[in-house]
Amino acid sequence: MVYVQLNEQVCISCGLCRVHCAVQHSRSRDLLKAFKSETPRPSARLRLDASGPVSLAIPCRHCIEPWCVYSCLTGALSRDVATGNVSHDPKKCIGCWTCVLSCPYGAIFPDPATGKVMKCDLCPGRETPACVENCPNEALSYHILEAGNGL
């Protein structure tokens, strides 16, 4: 099972998690090119919630009981039993927002550019998600639990 753990006590709401997430999901994967020349501009797959002195990044928790998957009308969301990764297939997504309403963390949200949803995909092809790797205060940490170990 995989998950990104949050530590809101050290999050300074700098937004670097969102910047590096967007760059990781851009066509060029280059910080300057992604924001200066790509159209549409790349989007981050996590939200940043700041309320007074408390702030935290909100990536997908890849829940053991993924209500988003259970509520998805088209099967665009699925959970890999072996890894615990909850993935999104934009080809199947119809933009009904049922998963947005069912996620208790607000980790799935509409993408205005496509009319579909966006969520953390744990940066496929990387050992550690870009948000975790580039958090200056280590407010995000990435964990892989072996089968049989619970949260």
Side-chain angles (χ1 to χ4, degrees):
M1 177 159 143
V2 294
Y3 69 100
V4 175
Q5 185 174 354
L6 315 165
N7 183 351
E8 67 272 1
Q9 294 177 348
V10 295
C11 178
I12 58 173
S13 203
C14 66
L16 285 174
C17 54
R18 291 184 42 78
V19 168
H20 286 281
C21 177
V23 169
Q24 178 62 33
H25 292 90
S26 69
R27 288 187 304 280
S28 66
R29 296 204 176 163
D30 178 89
L31 181 64
L32 295 176
K33 289 178 185 175
F35 289 102
K36 289 186 90 174
S37 61
E38 289 188 21
T39 305
R41 291 181 82 182
S43 298
R45 285 160 167 64
L46 74 156
R47 293 184 316 106
L48 186 63
D49 192 11
S51 179
V54 177
S55 59
L56 60 133
I58 305 175
C60 177
R61 304 282 169 77
H62 300 274
C63 301
I64 293 171
E65 291 291 330
W67 293 105
C68 60
V69 172
Y70 301 155
S71 68
C72 183
L73 302 173
T74 63
L77 289 166
S78 61
R79 182 174 187 270
D80 183 313
V81 178
T83 66
N85 187 7
V86 175
S87 60
H88 175 251
D89 182 352
K91 293 175 186 163
K92 291 182 180 179
C93 183
I94 59 172
C96 68
W97 317 130
T98 306
C99 58
V100 173
L101 295 171
S102 66
C103 177
Y105 302 105
I108 301 176
F109 50 93
D111 178 8
T114 65
K116 300 181 183 219
V117 298
M118 293 182 64
K119 65 170 289 307
C120 170
D121 59 6
L122 297 172
C123 298
R126 291 180 59 110
E127 192 172 311
T128 305
C131 61
V132 173
E133 192 172 289
N134 293 285
C135 181
N137 276 12
E138 299 176 354
L140 298 171
S141 55
Y142 181 61
H143 301 275
I144 302 173
L145 296 178
E146 295 181 23
N149 293 338
L151 286 175

